[in-house]
Amino acid sequence: MEATDQTEQAVRLKKLIEANQTIARVESLEELFPMLMTLAKEVTNAEASSIMRYRPNRNVLEFELASNEGTGNLDKILREKITLKLGEGVAGWVGENRESVNIRDAQNDPRFSRRADSETGFVTRAILCSPILHENELLGVVQVLNPKSSRNFDDGDLEILEAFAGLAAVAIVRSRLLENLIAQEKLQAAKNAADIVEAAADAIITFGIESLRIRGINPAAMRIFGYDYDEFIDMSMLALLEHGEEEDILDRIFSGELHELPGLRKNGEAFPMEAVVRIGGKQGEEFFIGTFRDVTKKNEALRKLYSELSKAADYVKTLLPSPITDGPLRAHWRFIPSTSLGGDSFGYHWVDEEHFAIYLLDVCGHGVHAALLSVSVINVLQSQSLPGTDFKEPDQVLNALNNAFPMERHNEMYFTMWYGVYNRKTRTLVYASGGHPPALLMTSGPKGRIRPIGLKTPNMFIGGMPNVKYKKNEVKIEGKCRLFVFSDGVYEIETPEGVMWKYEEFQDFMVNVPPNEGAEMDRLFGHAKKLCGEDTLDDDFSIMEVVFD
């Protein structure tokens, strides 16, 4: 018998340790209470167990959780139908007196209430009940009913139940602290959100989904639109939009994306505004939340910027050479800038009476920095202001430019370049390219067919590494030939399907275009627009044609 008692005590101790470990890792009472009830029922070998929470505002005990091994939904019935006043029934007596009890004959105990048995059909024989206390504050009670292996519960069962009551107290207190902390965080977050809305520079307006009537605003809305608070409330959102375009505007405004719309102030002044509208609130109480920003100053700044960029683009064009339309050497070009200021530039000029220089460069990227670098390089070439450089030798020119324009001194920008020099007496073209697409020399092949020759040397781009030795090459100009020098913007054209036009396809196109000075480039530009499906290309379209008779 003694060995059995020791075994039971070991089992109880093990279960209590398990419960303690459980409470350490579980924060939710919804998860914790079922675990505790299962363990308490197992340790005391009881048929049923329950936890009741004390509600001090009403001075009652309510079933939080109940578990039994019989049929029927005991838990649901007790939680929905049974509430005990403090002092009512065994649980009420335990709660009122803050004292545990071991009742061996419940039916004949004057403290026993038969209401729960009547509702559930469960027959209570014996009860262990213990208060859940925190520093003498009543939090609830825990109880187990009807031992399965004997007629009554013993003192060991009561001790283990009191231990479980202590664990339940810790769990309830910790849960309450967490709830308070979460509530405080939510309150602070709500306060912070309210402060942000109040301080926001943008107008924030809430309005009904069906009625479009305004329900709330922030101070910025009054400043931007010119209405006071009382005028705003219950006003239609349509009153804040320029008249005549409401239907189209509403389609855009409710897309959930940022759009620029024509706003309307109280004084009748129309102004540009950026707006985004999304749904807020909870299901059944949704409403629109709109954020509106006056972009008058922003748009004016952009207009000034575009004007300056346009002037800069015009300046770049003034540096481009005039066409050469007469003589045995003729030159034409086409330069169609993209939407932003680019880094393409080109030119040609007589170095002396015999040598004609041809060059085109493409700075990486777009914008003012790229254009400034491009202009700087062109000015150096036109003025021939690279000390110790023979501008009749393309390899020397590229070497000198590479050392004069290192990318670390020019906002990490580099450029590609093709540079050639034609000697009209020897009819040779000496050339060098640095990371640039090969120029196309169109010569006459057998039976008068056009034969394209790609002119390129295997050199790296300009500005990437100091003291690079660039290589040159030469080709004989025999008969009437045409030379096309261009940037990659003339053939790196992406179709709407995401397919890039290949260099080989570009070359085939140029071979098959009928020779007609200047017209070939126009046809190429028309084909590029057709390929991309737009009138404006993503990159500068820069190409020169030099005709040698």
Side-chain angles (χ1 to χ4, degrees):
M1 188 68 179
E2 184 176 343
T4 302
D5 291 343
Q6 290 178 352
T7 301
E8 291 179 355
Q9 188 64 27
V11 171
R12 289 171 173 172
L13 182 59
K14 181 177 180 295
K15 294 295 184 182
L16 189 58
I17 292 172
E18 288 178 10
N20 193 44
Q21 291 172 339
T22 297
I23 197 173
R25 67 175 182 269
V26 179
E27 295 180 350
S28 167
L29 292 180
E30 287 76 11
E31 295 180 61
L32 182 66
F33 280 164
M35 296 179 185
L36 288 179
M37 286 295 89
T38 299
L39 288 170
K41 197 167 59 172
E42 287 179 0
V43 171
T44 58
N45 198 23
E47 293 180 4
S49 60
S50 64
I51 287 181
M52 301 186 74
R53 292 282 297 275
Y54 176 58
R55 307 299 183 187
N57 57 327
R58 294 186 288 129
N59 199 33
V60 297
L61 290 167
E62 292 181 344
F63 279 95
E64 187 79 20
L65 182 68
S67 174
N68 74 307
E69 296 184 355
T71 59
N73 196 340
L74 177 73
D75 177 67
K76 184 175 184 297
I77 295 172
L78 292 177
R79 283 190 290 110
E80 291 180 355
K81 296 188 175 183
I82 303 298
T83 299
L84 299 178
K85 296 179 181 178
L86 204 62
E88 181 185 358
V90 173
W93 185 94
V94 168
E96 185 176 49
N97 291 276
R98 272 64 164 181
E99 183 181 333
S100 300
V101 295
N102 181 358
I103 298 177
R104 292 174 169 79
D105 184 6
Q107 297 296 327
N108 292 315
D109 193 291
R111 295 167 292 188
F112 178 66
S113 170
R114 291 178 171 78
R115 285 203 296 132
D117 280 9
S118 298
E119 291 288 348
T120 63
F122 185 86
V123 178
T124 303
R125 302 191 314 273
I127 303 173
L128 277 183
C129 189
S130 182
I132 302 173
L133 302 173
H134 174 66
E135 297 179 351
N136 208 40
E137 176 192 358
L138 179 65
L139 303 177
V141 299
V142 57
Q143 62 183 2
V144 293
L145 310 177
N146 299 356
K148 292 188 289 184
S149 58
S150 62
R151 178 65 183 173
N152 300 308
F153 294 110
D154 59 24
D155 291 341
D157 294 324
L158 185 58
E159 288 176 4
I160 201 73
L161 187 66
E162 288 177 338
F164 274 96
L167 293 177
V170 172
I172 292 172
V173 170
R174 187 170 67 174
S175 176
R176 192 163 61 184
L177 290 174
L178 285 172
E179 289 174 357
N180 290 338
L181 180 61
I182 292 170
Q184 290 175 9
E185 289 177 348
K186 288 182 177 180
L187 183 64
Q188 186 61 45
K191 182 179 182 301
N192 292 342
D195 291 343
I196 291 171
V197 170
E198 286 293 308
D202 300 337
I204 299 176
I205 302 174
T206 60
F207 53 99
I209 289 180
E210 296 293 336
S211 68
L212 302 183
R213 296 289 175 182
I214 295 174
R215 299 165 56 172
I217 61 164
N218 68 336
M222 294 186 283
R223 173 177 52 79
I224 291 173
F225 289 97
Y227 295 94
D228 61 30
Y229 182 85
D230 291 336
E231 290 174 312
F232 259 119
I233 300 305
D234 209 34
M235 174 193 293
S236 171
M237 270 299 301
L238 297 178
L240 305 181
L241 304 175
E242 189 174 13
H243 302 311
E245 301 184 41
E246 290 91 339
E247 288 189 11
D248 177 56
I249 289 171
L250 288 176
D251 288 340
R252 286 183 285 152
I253 202 173
F254 296 140
S255 68
E257 299 177 356
L258 183 67
H259 289 284
E260 183 170 312
L261 304 170
L264 191 65
R265 305 191 207 276
K266 180 181 178 180
N267 61 9
E269 176 191 358
F271 69 98
M273 64 179 183
E274 289 179 344
V276 61
V277 176
R278 292 187 172 89
I279 293 178
K282 57 186 179 181
Q283 189 173 6
E285 299 178 10
E286 293 96 345
F287 52 84
F288 282 127
I289 303 175
T291 302
F292 304 88
R293 175 177 297 175
D294 185 344
V295 293
T296 302
K297 292 183 178 179
K298 171 190 168 183
N299 286 0
E300 182 60 31
L302 286 175
R303 278 192 291 271
K304 290 181 179 179
L305 175 61
Y306 292 144
S307 175
E308 293 300 317
L309 290 176
S310 177
K311 291 177 182 177
D314 290 340
Y315 172 67
V316 170
K317 289 179 181 179
T318 65
L319 300 177
L320 301 178
S322 299
I324 303 174
T325 57
D326 296 316
L329 186 151
R330 298 178 297 281
H332 309 272
W333 52 264
R334 296 292 184 271
F335 175 57
I336 298 95
S338 63
T339 52
S340 59
L341 192 62
D344 286 8
S345 197
F346 53 86
Y348 42 76
H349 65 268
W350 288 99
V351 180
D352 55 28
E353 291 183 355
E354 295 182 2
H355 297 88
F356 186 74
I358 308 160
Y359 42 87
L360 187 148
L361 65 100
D362 182 2
V363 178
C364 67
H366 298 276
V368 175
H369 288 93
L372 288 176
L373 178 56
S374 178
V375 167
S376 298
V377 176
I378 286 294
N379 283 329
V380 165
L381 293 173
Q382 290 179 347
S383 63
Q384 300 184 38
S385 56
L386 289 171
T389 303
D390 185 349
F391 281 83
K392 299 186 296 295
E393 298 294 336
D395 55 336
Q396 290 190 33
V397 173
L398 266 57
N399 285 332
L401 288 174
N402 183 63
N403 292 327
F405 294 94
M407 59 189 297
E408 61 266 20
R409 283 168 39 196
H410 291 86
N411 199 32
E412 298 301 315
M413 290 188 299
Y414 60 87
F415 58 94
T416 66
M417 187 171 187
W418 192 95
Y419 187 94
V421 177
Y422 173 66
N423 186 321
R424 66 180 178 179
K425 282 191 174 182
T426 63
R427 289 186 66 85
T428 57
L429 176 65
V430 184
Y431 61 91
S433 61
H436 202 81
L440 270 181
L441 181 65
M442 302 294 194
T443 64
S444 296
K447 299 181 181 181
R449 299 182 66 177
I450 301 299
R451 183 169 66 95
I453 302 174
L455 305 182
K456 180 180 180 179
T457 54
N459 298 316
M460 72 176 294
F461 57 81
I462 313 297
M465 186 180 300
N467 303 316
V468 173
K469 296 303 179 183
Y470 288 82
K471 298 178 181 180
K472 64 180 179 179
N473 208 340
E474 68 177 59
V475 64
K476 190 75 173 178
I477 303 298
E478 298 177 345
K480 183 175 182 178
C481 298
R482 293 175 296 147
L483 175 70
F484 291 100
V485 184
F486 44 85
S487 67
D488 57 12
V490 305
Y491 67 87
E492 287 188 348
I493 310 297
E494 186 175 358
T495 68
E497 293 75 28
V499 179
M500 189 71 72
W501 201 33
K502 298 178 182 178
Y503 176 85
E504 293 77 13
E505 294 173 310
F506 155 74
Q507 179 178 285
D508 291 342
F509 179 89
M510 297 303 293
V511 167
N512 292 302
V513 171
N516 187 353
E517 296 178 23
E520 304 99 320
M521 297 181 289
D522 293 331
R523 291 191 180 185
L524 175 63
F525 182 63
H527 185 68
K529 290 194 297 181
K530 184 178 179 181
L531 281 174
C532 73
E534 301 286 345
D535 287 335
T536 304
L537 305 182
D538 291 334
D539 201 356
D540 291 346
F541 183 94
S542 306
I543 185 170
M544 294 184 293
E545 178 187 21
V546 181
V547 180
F548 307 98
D549 274 344

